[in-house]
Amino acid sequence: MCAPKNSQIRVFTSFVQNLRSDVSAYEKFKQYFDVPTLDDCPRSSSFRSMKRQRLTEPVDIIGLRDNETISNSDKTLLFVGVMTAEKYLTTRAKAVYETWGSDLPGRIAFFSSEVSYSEDLPLVALPGVDDSYPPQKKSFMMLKYMYDNFGDRFEWFLRADDDVYIRTDKLESLLRSVDSRKPWFIGQAGRGNSEEFGLLSLDHDENFCMGGPGVILSRETLKRIAPHVKNCLENLYTTHEDVELGRCVRKFAGIQCTWSYEMQTILYHNQSGSAAFTGELKQKEVHRAITMHPVKQPSHLYRLHSYIKGLRIQELEQDKVNLHRDVALAMAQLGVNATQLQDAKLSDQVQLFPDHLGHTGYLGDPSVLGTAPGITRFRPQDLEDVLDWELIIGKALYSHSDFNPRHKITSSLKEGLDDIIREVMTIVNKYSKQRGRVIDYRELIYGYWRLDPLHGADTVVDMLLTYRKYRGHKMTVPVRRHAYLQQTFTGLHIKEEDYSEEVEDYPKFLSKSTTQTHILHHIKEKKI
């Protein structure tokens, strides 16, 4: 509520004295003491903002329990502070909170101007801060708020914008591999564009972490700079918030942004501007990245989140297949073959796979999923069962089963080949950083493809690659790589849907209670 006027207070006092004796006093009270609601208050009223802030403690805003500490909770690895503005609370900020913001190994809060308010978001309205750009004051005051309230409650602190997407599972893997007790300032290192070079008051060996893809600070780094926030704000050399943050970290924490070639891919900034991440998402940049920036429209953020979740499902399906193979290999040492796995027992009272087909806990057919990878997984019983290979050269497919043996590769097969090659290159470059080299794909020389109706698709590819060594004796040479790959079927999934209420005009021979059952055979493309 806005503060009542003195005249209203006097009227209120006189009416309260008559409340006991006069029933109509309450109606008179409403008539004379018409106090405006929060929505009637001026938007610029600092009283409104501060009143709301007093209602909630910092730990309550983010849902942090008193007994949660770094040592006893897996939800205290990371605190994410998202800088946003009042006009984006119901759009960008909401989209962030409903997608990657709800799946963090920690907590998240949104930081906006002092007049901002939201009932749906964990929002911190920073006193004395507005939504003007550039947001230097908002950024520094957010970091100070983080340290003052949660400095010893989290291991890492991430400064993010409201137009970034973060793969939280990958980020967690990265952060758990680094010691947060040491000073770290992790991000995509920058020195400004060609027009800004030399105008940012940076020495030849100084840099800053670009703010767009996100900036990560260890608790030690935040501890060193938080007491000097005022000093940093009073000594700004440029209008760039990320440049000034880097200057502050360098001065008071004694470190710079991580100089790492890999950061350009895992903290990815798309140069397409507002068109970024609006087209095809099956790109190596999307698959490699931990953070992706910028995603300007909420609809594009939801779309990207759905795609990333699909990738995560594929990873889990692959993990399931690998576990089935490990179980089958271990049981083979005990004399149990693949056909006996479903009914095998670990002891008299413990069955290896207790749930059978039709139960919710059914884990799939172990005799199929547990089969080790190999070109001879499928064994034909007669000549007609022999699987045919089709030859791929360039953009053409050769097959003896068609009247015209040479025809164009179908879009579905092309998409499958692109997925295979992308996954192969991910495996090839898995340890590229440690070895000081990177291998890039150039073209497919030839390949073979066939479909195994029981196990999945088999593919043989011969690729032309470029080998680049950037450590030690630098070199760039063309190389060839031959690879055998298998995409394993993960089982039959049945989905039942009732269209009785959605379709108005049913055929006469169908009753309105008819249920259409769709059998979806999901082929998860997996690398072996």
Side-chain angles (χ1 to χ4, degrees):
M1 297 175 66
C2 297
K5 300 178 181 179
N6 291 334
S7 59
Q8 290 177 320
I9 295 176
R10 288 194 295 271
V11 173
F12 170 76
T13 304
S14 62
F15 278 165
V16 166
Q17 295 174 352
N18 297 324
L19 280 176
R20 294 179 180 271
S21 58
D22 187 358
V23 178
S24 64
Y26 177 70
E27 295 298 325
K28 294 178 182 178
F29 165 77
K30 288 202 301 182
Q31 178 182 354
Y32 287 96
F33 192 74
D34 186 18
V35 181
T37 63
L38 283 171
D39 293 331
D40 298 327
C41 297
R43 298 291 287 179
S44 61
S45 172
S46 60
F47 175 83
R48 175 189 177 195
S49 175
M50 293 302 294
K51 185 69 174 177
R52 284 173 171 161
Q53 284 299 95
R54 293 193 193 103
L55 296 177
T56 310
E57 293 294 325
V59 291
D60 296 327
I61 293 177
I62 64 172
L64 185 65
R65 298 187 299 273
D66 292 338
N67 61 347
E68 281 189 280
T69 65
I70 293 175
S71 59
N72 67 8
S73 174
D74 60 355
K75 287 293 185 178
T76 56
L77 174 69
L78 175 68
F79 180 86
V80 179
V82 179
M83 289 198 304
T84 187
E86 185 181 21
K87 63 180 179 179
Y88 294 128
L89 291 179
T90 59
T91 53
R92 291 183 187 176
K94 180 182 178 183
V96 166
Y97 191 53
E98 292 179 345
T99 53
W100 63 265
S102 61
D103 191 27
L104 284 166
R107 301 296 199 280
I108 187 173
F110 296 84
F111 292 80
S112 187
S113 59
E114 67 175 342
V115 298
S116 301
Y117 174 76
S118 174
E119 295 182 354
D120 304 317
L121 301 175
L123 178 68
V124 177
L126 294 169
V129 174
D130 56 29
D131 287 330
S132 60
Y133 191 87
Q136 286 106 325
K137 187 174 182 180
K138 182 184 293 182
S139 175
F140 280 103
M141 296 309 296
M142 176 181 74
L143 294 175
K144 188 175 187 307
Y145 181 96
M146 288 180 179
Y147 176 74
D148 290 344
N149 296 285
F150 311 114
D152 59 347
R153 305 293 297 273
F154 295 91
E155 294 188 60
W156 296 92
F157 297 85
L158 171 62
R159 166 236 171 271
D161 290 336
D162 58 9
D163 60 349
V164 67
Y165 183 86
I166 298 177
R167 291 196 63 174
T168 55
D169 55 333
K170 284 191 170 185
L171 181 59
E172 181 177 5
S173 298
L174 171 65
L175 296 182
R176 292 200 184 279
S177 66
V178 185
D179 188 355
S180 65
R181 295 170 298 180
K182 297 180 180 180
W184 291 99
F185 189 41
I186 302 174
Q188 185 181 147
R191 289 180 50 79
N193 56 38
S194 57
E195 297 177 355
E196 298 169 335
F197 193 77
L199 302 176
L200 301 177
S201 299
L202 298 174
D203 287 340
H204 69 281
D205 59 344
E206 294 179 342
N207 66 7
F208 61 92
C209 287
M210 296 172 58
V215 178
I216 306 170
L217 299 89
S218 64
R219 49 177 164 161
E220 178 60 26
T221 301
L222 186 62
K223 177 182 177 181
R224 294 184 184 185
I225 68 170
H228 307 284
V229 162
K230 183 178 179 181
N231 181 289
C232 295
L233 283 172
E234 292 175 348
N235 294 276
L236 301 176
Y237 290 80
T238 69
T239 59
H240 298 284
E241 170 264 330
D242 48 5
V243 175
E244 298 308 318
L245 175 58
R247 198 187 316 278
C248 186
V249 171
R250 184 168 54 253
K251 181 177 180 180
F252 295 105
I255 58 174
Q256 294 197 97
C257 187
T258 48
W259 285 109
S260 174
Y261 176 81
E262 189 181 15
M263 288 299 165
Q264 298 180 35
T265 57
I266 64 175
L267 301 180
Y268 178 59
H269 174 72
N270 192 308
Q271 302 291 342
S272 303
S274 59
F277 307 107
T278 60
E280 177 61 55
L281 294 178
K282 280 191 174 183
Q283 304 290 336
K284 64 180 181 180
E285 292 82 7
V286 174
H287 285 239
R288 292 176 182 175
I290 292 180
T291 71
M292 286 163 271
H293 175 267
V295 189
K296 294 297 185 182
Q297 297 298 324
S299 58
H300 297 154
L301 193 73
Y302 288 113
R303 172 175 173 261
L304 180 58
H305 182 65
S306 178
Y307 180 76
I308 295 300
K309 284 298 183 183
L311 295 180
R312 181 57 181 156
I313 291 174
Q314 289 187 15
E315 293 173 0
L316 293 175
E317 290 284 359
Q318 179 66 65
D319 291 342
K320 183 177 75 172
V321 171
N322 291 338
L323 289 172
H324 268 289
R325 290 172 180 169
D326 290 343
V327 169
L329 183 62
M331 294 303 291
Q333 302 298 318
L334 300 176
V336 179
N337 60 43
T339 60
Q340 300 172 325
L341 285 173
Q342 184 64 68
D343 299 320
K345 292 185 178 181
L346 298 176
S347 66
D348 292 338
Q349 314 230 343
V350 180
Q351 192 166 352
L352 180 60
F353 295 100
D355 295 314
H356 291 256
L357 182 64
H359 292 78
T360 55
Y362 180 61
L363 300 175
D365 188 349
S367 63
V368 175
L369 299 179
T371 304
I375 297 297
T376 59
R377 287 194 300 178
F378 179 78
R379 299 184 179 276
Q381 300 299 317
D382 50 51
L383 185 61
E384 294 181 355
D385 292 337
V386 175
L387 300 177
D388 300 324
W389 289 92
E390 295 180 328
L391 173 64
I392 302 169
I393 299 180
K395 298 182 179 180
L397 181 71
Y398 296 84
S399 174
H400 77 89
S401 60
D402 296 325
F403 180 77
N404 181 6
R406 183 182 185 277
H407 54 86
K408 187 178 180 181
I409 296 178
T410 61
S411 59
S412 59
L413 180 56
K414 183 180 182 303
E415 183 178 357
L417 285 172
D418 291 341
D419 291 344
I420 287 173
I421 291 170
R422 184 177 56 251
E423 295 298 326
V424 168
M425 298 311 301
T426 299
I427 293 176
V428 169
N429 287 302
K430 185 174 182 180
Y431 301 104
S432 60
K433 181 180 178 182
Q434 294 89 326
R435 297 171 182 173
R437 53 84 169 158
V438 63
I439 301 177
D440 296 323
Y441 170 78
R442 288 179 58 181
E443 64 175 333
L444 176 67
I445 300 175
Y446 71 88
Y448 292 96
W449 179 87
R450 73 177 183 182
L451 179 64
D452 179 341
L454 182 62
H455 299 101
D458 298 332
T459 309
V460 180
V461 292
D462 193 272
M463 302 172 293
L464 178 62
L465 311 174
T466 300
Y467 176 93
R468 292 189 178 91
K469 186 177 181 182
Y470 55 84
R471 186 183 301 163
H473 180 65
K474 298 180 175 59
M475 59 186 299
T476 300
V477 294
V479 295
R480 290 177 66 173
R481 186 69 177 257
H482 203 73
Y484 294 84
L485 309 113
Q486 292 184 322
Q487 300 166 287
T488 300
F489 292 155
T490 56
L492 189 68
H493 298 265
I494 299 176
K495 181 181 179 182
E496 188 174 273
E497 297 179 358
D498 189 355
Y499 290 91
S500 59
E501 297 181 358
E502 299 179 9
V503 182
E504 296 181 358
D505 300 327
Y506 267 72
K508 293 182 179 180
F509 56 85
L510 291 178
S511 67
K512 289 190 176 183
S513 61
T514 301
T515 298
Q516 299 181 1
T517 302
H518 298 263
I519 301 179
L520 307 178
H521 199 167
H522 296 289
I523 303 177
K524 304 296 182 184
E525 298 174 354
K526 291 299 159 194
K527 176 69 60 186
I528 305 303

Coordinates of all heavy atoms in Angstrom, one line a residue, residues 294-346:
P294 N 22.7 -15.2 -28.8 CA 21.5 -14.8 -28.1 C 20.2 -15.5 -28.6 O 20.2 -15.9 -29.7 CB 21.4 -13.3 -28.4 CG 21.9 -13.2 -29.8 CD 23.0 -14.3 -29.9
V295 N 19.3 -15.7 -27.7 CA 17.9 -16.2 -28.1 C 16.9 -15.2 -27.7 O 16.5 -15.1 -26.5 CB 17.6 -17.6 -27.3 CG1 16.4 -18.2 -27.9 CG2 18.8 -18.5 -27.4
K296 N 16.6 -14.3 -28.6 CA 15.8 -13.1 -28.4 C 14.3 -13.4 -28.1 O 13.7 -12.7 -27.3 CB 16.0 -12.1 -29.5 CG 17.4 -11.6 -29.7 CD 17.8 -10.8 -28.5 CE 19.2 -10.2 -28.7 NZ 19.7 -9.4 -27.5
Q297 N 13.8 -14.3 -28.8 CA 12.3 -14.6 -28.7 C 12.0 -15.8 -27.7 O 12.7 -16.8 -27.8 CB 11.7 -14.8 -30.0 CG 11.8 -13.7 -31.0 CD 11.1 -12.5 -30.5 OE1 10.0 -12.6 -29.8 NE2 11.6 -11.3 -30.7
P298 N 11.1 -15.6 -26.8 CA 10.8 -16.7 -25.9 C 10.4 -18.0 -26.6 O 10.7 -19.1 -26.2 CB 9.6 -16.2 -25.1 CG 9.7 -14.7 -25.1 CD 10.3 -14.4 -26.5
S299 N 9.7 -17.9 -27.7 CA 9.2 -19.1 -28.5 C 10.5 -19.8 -29.0 O 10.4 -21.1 -29.0 CB 8.4 -18.7 -29.7 OG 9.0 -17.8 -30.5
H300 N 11.5 -19.1 -29.4 CA 12.7 -19.8 -29.8 C 13.4 -20.5 -28.7 O 14.1 -21.5 -28.8 CB 13.6 -18.8 -30.5 CG 13.1 -18.2 -31.7 ND1 13.4 -16.9 -32.2 CD2 12.1 -18.6 -32.6 CE1 12.7 -16.7 -33.3 NE2 11.9 -17.7 -33.5
L301 N 13.3 -19.9 -27.5 CA 14.0 -20.5 -26.3 C 13.3 -21.8 -25.9 O 13.9 -22.8 -25.6 CB 13.9 -19.5 -25.1 CG 14.8 -19.9 -23.9 CD1 16.3 -19.7 -24.2 CD2 14.4 -19.1 -22.7
Y302 N 11.9 -21.8 -26.0 CA 11.2 -23.0 -25.7 C 11.5 -24.1 -26.8 O 11.6 -25.3 -26.4 CB 9.7 -22.8 -25.7 CG 9.2 -22.0 -24.5 CD1 8.7 -20.7 -24.6 CD2 9.2 -22.6 -23.2 CE1 8.2 -20.0 -23.6 CE2 8.7 -21.9 -22.1 CZ 8.2 -20.6 -22.3 OH 7.8 -19.9 -21.2
R303 N 11.6 -23.7 -28.0 CA 12.0 -24.6 -29.1 C 13.3 -25.2 -28.9 O 13.5 -26.4 -29.0 CB 11.9 -23.9 -30.4 CG 12.4 -24.7 -31.6 CD 12.2 -23.9 -32.9 NE 12.8 -24.5 -34.1 CZ 13.9 -24.2 -34.6 NH1 14.6 -23.2 -34.0 NH2 14.4 -24.8 -35.6
L304 N 14.3 -24.4 -28.5 CA 15.7 -24.9 -28.3 C 15.7 -25.8 -27.1 O 16.4 -26.8 -27.1 CB 16.6 -23.7 -28.0 CG 18.1 -24.0 -27.8 CD1 18.7 -24.7 -28.9 CD2 18.8 -22.7 -27.5
H305 N 14.9 -25.5 -26.1 CA 14.9 -26.3 -24.9 C 14.3 -27.7 -25.2 O 14.8 -28.7 -24.7 CB 14.0 -25.6 -23.8 CG 13.9 -26.4 -22.5 ND1 15.0 -26.6 -21.7 CD2 12.9 -27.0 -21.9 CE1 14.6 -27.3 -20.6 NE2 13.3 -27.6 -20.7
S306 N 13.3 -27.7 -26.0 CA 12.7 -29.0 -26.4 C 13.7 -29.9 -27.2 O 13.8 -31.1 -27.0 CB 11.4 -28.8 -27.3 OG 10.9 -30.0 -27.7
Y307 N 14.5 -29.2 -28.1 CA 15.5 -29.9 -28.9 C 16.6 -30.5 -27.9 O 17.0 -31.6 -28.1 CB 16.1 -29.0 -29.9 CG 17.1 -29.7 -30.8 CD1 16.8 -30.6 -31.8 CD2 18.5 -29.4 -30.6 CE1 17.7 -31.2 -32.6 CE2 19.4 -30.0 -31.3 CZ 19.1 -30.9 -32.3 OH 20.0 -31.5 -33.1
I308 N 17.0 -29.7 -27.0 CA 18.1 -30.1 -26.1 C 17.6 -31.3 -25.2 O 18.4 -32.2 -24.9 CB 18.6 -28.9 -25.2 CG1 19.2 -27.9 -26.1 CG2 19.5 -29.4 -24.2 CD1 20.5 -28.3 -26.9
K309 N 16.4 -31.2 -24.8 CA 15.8 -32.3 -24.0 C 15.8 -33.6 -24.8 O 16.0 -34.7 -24.3 CB 14.4 -32.0 -23.5 CG 14.4 -31.0 -22.4 CD 15.1 -31.6 -21.1 CE 15.1 -30.6 -19.9 NZ 15.8 -31.2 -18.8
G310 N 15.5 -33.5 -26.1 CA 15.5 -34.6 -27.0 C 16.9 -35.2 -27.1 O 17.0 -36.5 -27.1
L311 N 17.9 -34.4 -27.2 CA 19.3 -34.9 -27.2 C 19.6 -35.6 -25.8 O 20.3 -36.6 -25.8 CB 20.3 -33.7 -27.3 CG 20.2 -33.0 -28.7 CD1 21.3 -31.9 -28.7 CD2 20.5 -34.0 -29.9
R312 N 19.1 -35.1 -24.8 CA 19.3 -35.7 -23.5 C 18.7 -37.1 -23.4 O 19.2 -38.0 -22.8 CB 18.8 -34.8 -22.3 CG 19.0 -35.3 -20.9 CD 20.5 -35.6 -20.7 NE 20.7 -36.1 -19.3 CZ 21.7 -36.9 -19.0 NH1 22.7 -37.1 -19.9 NH2 21.9 -37.3 -17.7
I313 N 17.5 -37.2 -24.0 CA 16.8 -38.5 -24.0 C 17.6 -39.5 -24.8 O 17.7 -40.7 -24.4 CB 15.4 -38.3 -24.6 CG1 14.5 -37.5 -23.6 CG2 14.8 -39.7 -24.9 CD1 13.1 -37.2 -24.2
Q314 N 18.2 -39.1 -25.9 CA 19.0 -40.0 -26.7 C 20.2 -40.4 -25.9 O 20.6 -41.6 -25.9 CB 19.5 -39.3 -28.0 CG 18.4 -39.0 -29.0 CD 18.9 -38.5 -30.3 OE1 20.1 -38.6 -30.6 NE2 18.0 -38.0 -31.1
E315 N 20.8 -39.5 -25.1 CA 22.0 -39.9 -24.3 C 21.6 -40.9 -23.3 O 22.3 -41.9 -23.0 CB 22.6 -38.6 -23.6 CG 23.2 -37.6 -24.6 CD 23.6 -36.3 -23.9 OE1 23.4 -36.2 -22.7 OE2 24.1 -35.4 -24.6
L316 N 20.4 -40.7 -22.6 CA 20.0 -41.7 -21.6 C 19.6 -43.1 -22.3 O 19.9 -44.1 -21.7 CB 18.7 -41.1 -20.9 CG 19.0 -39.9 -20.0 CD1 17.7 -39.4 -19.5 CD2 20.0 -40.2 -18.9
E317 N 19.1 -43.0 -23.5 CA 18.8 -44.3 -24.2 C 20.1 -45.0 -24.5 O 20.2 -46.2 -24.4 CB 18.0 -44.0 -25.5 CG 16.6 -43.5 -25.3 CD 15.6 -44.6 -24.9 OE1 16.1 -45.8 -24.8 OE2 14.4 -44.4 -24.7
Q318 N 21.1 -44.2 -24.9 CA 22.4 -44.9 -25.2 C 23.0 -45.5 -23.9 O 23.6 -46.6 -23.9 CB 23.4 -43.8 -25.8 CG 24.7 -44.4 -26.1 CD 24.7 -45.4 -27.2 OE1 24.4 -45.1 -28.3 NE2 25.1 -46.7 -26.8
D319 N 22.9 -44.7 -22.8 CA 23.3 -45.3 -21.5 C 22.6 -46.6 -21.1 O 23.3 -47.5 -20.6 CB 23.1 -44.2 -20.4 CG 24.0 -43.0 -20.5 OD1 25.0 -43.1 -21.3 OD2 23.7 -42.0 -19.9
K320 N 21.3 -46.6 -21.5 CA 20.6 -47.9 -21.2 C 21.1 -49.0 -22.0 O 21.3 -50.1 -21.5 CB 19.1 -47.6 -21.4 CG 18.2 -48.8 -21.1 CD 16.8 -48.5 -21.3 CE 16.4 -48.6 -22.8 NZ 14.9 -48.5 -23.0
V321 N 21.4 -48.8 -23.3 CA 21.9 -49.8 -24.1 C 23.3 -50.3 -23.6 O 23.6 -51.5 -23.6 CB 22.0 -49.3 -25.6 CG1 22.8 -50.3 -26.4 CG2 20.6 -49.1 -26.2
N322 N 24.1 -49.3 -23.2 CA 25.4 -49.7 -22.7 C 25.3 -50.5 -21.4 O 26.1 -51.5 -21.2 CB 26.3 -48.5 -22.4 CG 26.7 -47.7 -23.7 OD1 26.7 -48.3 -24.8 ND2 26.9 -46.4 -23.6
L323 N 24.4 -50.2 -20.6 CA 24.2 -51.0 -19.3 C 23.7 -52.4 -19.7 O 24.1 -53.4 -19.0 CB 23.2 -50.3 -18.4 CG 23.7 -49.0 -17.8 CD1 22.6 -48.3 -17.0 CD2 24.9 -49.3 -16.8
H324 N 22.8 -52.5 -20.6 CA 22.3 -53.8 -21.0 C 23.5 -54.7 -21.5 O 23.6 -55.9 -21.2 CB 21.3 -53.7 -22.1 CG 19.9 -53.6 -21.6 ND1 19.2 -54.7 -21.0 CD2 19.0 -52.6 -21.5 CE1 18.0 -54.4 -20.7 NE2 17.8 -53.1 -21.0
R325 N 24.4 -54.1 -22.3 CA 25.5 -54.8 -22.8 C 26.5 -55.2 -21.7 O 27.1 -56.3 -21.8 CB 26.3 -54.0 -23.9 CG 25.5 -53.8 -25.1 CD 26.1 -52.8 -26.1 NE 25.3 -52.6 -27.3 CZ 25.5 -51.6 -28.2 NH1 26.5 -50.7 -28.0 NH2 24.8 -51.6 -29.3
D326 N 26.7 -54.4 -20.7 CA 27.6 -54.7 -19.6 C 27.0 -55.9 -18.8 O 27.7 -56.8 -18.4 CB 27.7 -53.5 -18.7 CG 28.6 -52.4 -19.3 OD1 29.3 -52.7 -20.3 OD2 28.5 -51.2 -18.9
V327 N 25.7 -55.8 -18.6 CA 25.0 -56.9 -17.9 C 25.1 -58.2 -18.7 O 25.4 -59.3 -18.1 CB 23.5 -56.6 -17.6 CG1 22.8 -57.8 -17.1 CG2 23.4 -55.4 -16.6
A328 N 24.9 -58.2 -20.0 CA 25.0 -59.4 -20.8 C 26.4 -60.0 -20.8 O 26.6 -61.2 -20.7 CB 24.5 -59.1 -22.2
L329 N 27.4 -59.1 -20.8 CA 28.8 -59.5 -20.8 C 29.1 -60.2 -19.5 O 29.8 -61.2 -19.4 CB 29.7 -58.4 -21.1 CG 31.2 -58.7 -21.2 CD1 31.5 -59.6 -22.3 CD2 32.0 -57.4 -21.4
A330 N 28.7 -59.6 -18.4 CA 28.9 -60.1 -17.1 C 28.2 -61.5 -16.9 O 28.8 -62.4 -16.3 CB 28.5 -59.1 -16.0
M331 N 27.0 -61.5 -17.3 CA 26.2 -62.8 -17.2 C 26.8 -63.9 -18.0 O 26.7 -65.1 -17.7 CB 24.8 -62.6 -17.5 CG 24.0 -61.6 -16.5 SD 24.1 -62.2 -14.8 CE 23.1 -63.6 -14.8
A332 N 27.4 -63.5 -19.2 CA 28.0 -64.5 -20.0 C 29.2 -65.2 -19.3 O 29.4 -66.4 -19.5 CB 28.5 -63.9 -21.3
Q333 N 29.8 -64.5 -18.4 CA 30.9 -65.1 -17.6 C 30.4 -66.1 -16.6 O 31.1 -67.0 -16.2 CB 31.7 -64.0 -16.9 CG 32.3 -62.9 -17.8 CD 33.3 -63.5 -18.8 OE1 34.1 -64.3 -18.4 NE2 33.3 -63.0 -20.0
L334 N 29.1 -66.0 -16.3 CA 28.5 -66.9 -15.4 C 27.8 -68.1 -16.1 O 27.0 -68.9 -15.5 CB 27.5 -66.2 -14.5 CG 28.1 -65.1 -13.6 CD1 26.9 -64.4 -12.8 CD2 29.1 -65.7 -12.6
G335 N 27.9 -68.1 -17.5 CA 27.3 -69.2 -18.2 C 25.9 -68.9 -18.7 O 25.2 -69.8 -19.1
V336 N 25.4 -67.7 -18.6 CA 24.1 -67.3 -19.0 C 24.1 -66.7 -20.3 O 24.7 -65.6 -20.5 CB 23.4 -66.4 -18.0 CG1 22.0 -66.0 -18.4 CG2 23.4 -67.0 -16.6
N337 N 23.5 -67.3 -21.4 CA 23.5 -66.7 -22.7 C 22.4 -65.7 -22.9 O 21.6 -65.5 -22.0 CB 23.4 -67.8 -23.8 CG 22.1 -68.6 -23.7 OD1 21.1 -68.0 -23.5 ND2 22.2 -69.9 -23.9
A338 N 22.4 -65.0 -24.0 CA 21.5 -63.9 -24.2 C 20.1 -64.2 -24.2 O 19.2 -63.5 -23.6 CB 21.8 -63.2 -25.6
T339 N 19.7 -65.4 -24.6 CA 18.3 -65.8 -24.6 C 17.8 -66.1 -23.2 O 16.6 -66.2 -23.0 CB 18.1 -67.1 -25.6 OG1 18.9 -68.1 -25.1 CG2 18.5 -66.7 -27.0
Q340 N 18.7 -66.3 -22.3 CA 18.3 -66.7 -20.9 C 18.3 -65.5 -20.0 O 17.9 -65.6 -18.8 CB 19.2 -67.7 -20.3 CG 19.2 -69.0 -21.1 CD 20.3 -70.0 -20.7 OE1 21.4 -69.5 -20.3 NE2 20.1 -71.3 -20.7
L341 N 18.6 -64.3 -20.5 CA 18.8 -63.1 -19.6 C 17.5 -62.7 -18.9 O 17.5 -62.3 -17.8 CB 19.4 -61.9 -20.4 CG 20.8 -62.0 -20.7 CD1 21.2 -60.9 -21.7 CD2 21.7 -62.0 -19.4
Q342 N 16.4 -62.7 -19.7 CA 15.1 -62.2 -19.1 C 14.7 -63.0 -17.9 O 14.1 -62.4 -17.0 CB 14.0 -62.3 -20.2 CG 12.7 -61.7 -19.8 CD 12.7 -60.2 -19.5 OE1 12.9 -59.4 -20.4 NE2 12.6 -59.8 -18.2
D343 N 14.9 -64.3 -17.8 CA 14.5 -65.1 -16.7 C 15.7 -65.4 -15.8 O 15.5 -66.3 -14.8 CB 13.9 -66.4 -17.2 CG 12.7 -66.1 -18.1 OD1 11.9 -65.2 -17.7 OD2 12.5 -66.8 -19.1
A344 N 16.8 -64.8 -16.0 CA 18.0 -65.2 -15.1 C 17.8 -64.6 -13.7 O 17.1 -63.6 -13.5 CB 19.2 -64.6 -15.7
K345 N 18.4 -65.3 -12.7 CA 18.3 -64.9 -11.3 C 19.7 -64.7 -10.8 O 20.7 -65.4 -11.1 CB 17.6 -65.9 -10.5 CG 16.1 -66.1 -10.8 CD 15.5 -67.0 -9.9 CE 14.0 -67.1 -10.2 NZ 13.3 -68.1 -9.3
L346 N 19.9 -63.6 -9.9 CA 21.1 -63.4 -9.3 C 21.3 -64.3 -8.0 O 22.4 -64.6 -7.6 CB 21.2 -61.9 -8.8 CG 21.2 -60.9 -10.0 CD1 21.2 -59.5 -9.5 CD2 22.4 -61.1 -10.9

